[in-house]
Amino acid sequence: MALSSMTGFARGHGVSGAYTWAWELKSVNAKGFDLRLRLPPGWDVVEGPVRSSAAQTLARGTVYGALTVERKGIAPIVRINEPVLAAVLATMKELGRRVPAAEPRLDGILSLKGVIEVIDEDEREEDRRAAEAAVIAGFQTTVAELAAMRMREGEALGKVLTQRVGEIAVLAARADAAPGRKPEAIKVRIAELVATLLNAADRLDPDRLHQEAILIASKADIREELDRLASHVAQAQRLIADGGAVGRRLDFLAQEFNREANTLCSKSNDVELTNIGLELKSVVEQFREQVQNLE
């Protein structure tokens, strides 16, 4: 499977009898999947199939979908849905006796869903059903185009992420080969630090001196951090190659990369290793920023 970005745009339009319709879809980054629809009055029937189609096509991202529909050559008729209006007024009257509030305004009442119906007096049922089916099919085509655009962006992101992971691997290899990593250099550093401790031995008991020496020795070695970096690099490369909705897992690896880079910097008593650690942190941050765009 290919990688997919969470950002994209697509537009689709068509005609069904006297109806002309258009879908406009825009997606942005998000932790999960959310479809936010804006439908014309009277077209709520398409919402269920549209949501189902979007959920089957996309895994992450907030998608804003706007539908516009026009019926050419026929003047619409605005009609009040009397049962709904009566129920709304009764509820408002009951609430007015219980909660002090201003009188409801006419524009507020009429804006409530279902109070007003926009109909065409001579609209045939079969024409309307055909238009609804065309709108649903049009959404499926448009969301497929959106997914295709997101995949094209995902392909470009994959190349960038592969490059960043390669840079992380190179920096880890440089840290492993740094002169400060050689046993001789580590021994010299430990000897210097132990000598400093011995000079302060009158203020340290033997047990404390032993503990400090062990701590110095453990901090001098970054083998564990380098091994974990190598493991994370292999995992990231595999996830990028496998593709699909791997954004969350790569984001977790970005956090792990950063943790190892921080530990490497904190353990380093060598200028070169410190510089490598700082460069590693910079590359990891670039990796993390790009991962935020992945599905």
Side-chain angles (χ1 to χ4, degrees):
M1 296 178 64
L3 292 174
S4 179
S5 168
M6 283 191 286
T7 59
F9 177 85
R11 196 173 193 280
H13 56 86
V15 177
S16 176
Y19 294 93
T20 60
W21 55 266
W23 278 107
E24 188 171 284
L25 303 179
K26 179 179 70 173
S27 67
V28 296
N29 296 354
K31 290 184 178 179
F33 175 70
D34 183 22
L35 175 61
R36 303 183 183 182
L37 291 173
R38 190 169 73 246
L39 303 174
W43 288 84
D44 296 341
V45 69
V46 307
E47 182 172 350
V50 158
R51 288 192 177 279
S52 176
S53 177
Q56 292 173 13
T57 307
L58 307 172
R60 285 182 71 196
T62 296
V63 180
Y64 298 92
L67 171 66
T68 56
V69 180
E70 292 183 4
R71 192 163 184 244
K72 300 294 186 181
I74 298 175
I77 297 174
V78 178
R79 184 174 67 187
I80 301 296
N81 188 321
E82 295 294 344
V84 173
L85 178 60
V88 168
L89 292 177
T91 302
M92 288 181 171
K93 184 176 180 181
E94 174 64 23
L95 289 174
R97 289 196 293 264
R98 296 161 55 186
V99 180
E103 290 291 325
R105 293 169 54 89
L106 181 59
D107 56 350
I109 297 173
L110 295 179
S111 66
L112 295 174
K113 188 175 182 179
V115 174
I116 290 182
E117 295 177 342
V118 181
I119 63 171
D120 296 312
E121 190 173 26
D122 60 344
E123 182 180 32
R124 295 192 308 169
E125 183 71 15
E126 56 267 32
D127 293 341
R128 177 57 177 251
R129 299 290 84 82
E132 290 168 355
V135 165
I136 293 170
F139 178 86
Q140 293 169 345
T141 301
T142 308
V143 79
E145 293 177 0
L146 176 67
M149 179 180 180
R150 288 170 36 141
M151 288 182 69
R152 288 193 295 272
E153 290 195 9
E155 182 180 1
L157 276 174
K159 294 178 181 178
V160 174
L161 291 174
T162 299
Q163 181 180 347
R164 295 292 175 265
V165 172
E167 292 172 1
I168 291 171
V170 168
L171 287 168
R174 279 178 52 195
D176 196 13
R181 281 267 301 131
K182 294 186 181 299
E184 297 79 9
I186 294 175
K187 287 179 181 179
V188 169
R189 250 190 343 266
I190 291 177
E192 292 174 349
L193 292 170
V194 168
T196 302
L197 288 174
L198 288 173
N199 290 334
D202 57 332
R203 298 192 301 274
L204 291 173
D205 59 52
D207 288 340
R208 177 64 184 277
L209 183 60
H210 180 69
Q211 291 172 4
E212 291 291 339
I214 292 175
L215 181 62
I216 292 169
S218 65
K219 289 190 65 174
D221 189 17
I222 58 170
R223 180 73 266 159
E224 187 177 349
E225 286 70 33
L226 294 176
D227 288 343
R228 282 200 291 263
L229 279 173
S231 174
H232 298 335
V233 164
Q235 290 183 62
Q237 290 171 335
R238 184 172 62 254
L239 287 171
I240 294 170
D242 291 345
V246 295
R248 284 194 181 95
R249 282 180 283 177
L250 285 172
D251 186 47
F252 172 76
L253 281 179
Q255 297 175 42
E256 293 300 304
F257 278 136
N258 190 60
R259 184 176 291 109
E260 304 309 331
N262 283 335
T263 306
L264 190 150
C265 287
S266 67
K267 280 190 172 184
S268 173
N269 287 316
D270 177 82
V271 174
E272 183 178 358
L273 277 175
T274 299
N275 290 336
I276 292 173
L278 293 174
E279 191 175 348
L280 181 61
K281 283 173 62 68
S282 176
V283 175
V284 167
E285 179 60 22
Q286 294 170 24
F287 175 82
R288 189 196 67 81
E289 289 176 354
Q290 295 298 335
V291 164
Q292 302 306 307
N293 298 315
L294 274 185
E295 186 176 57

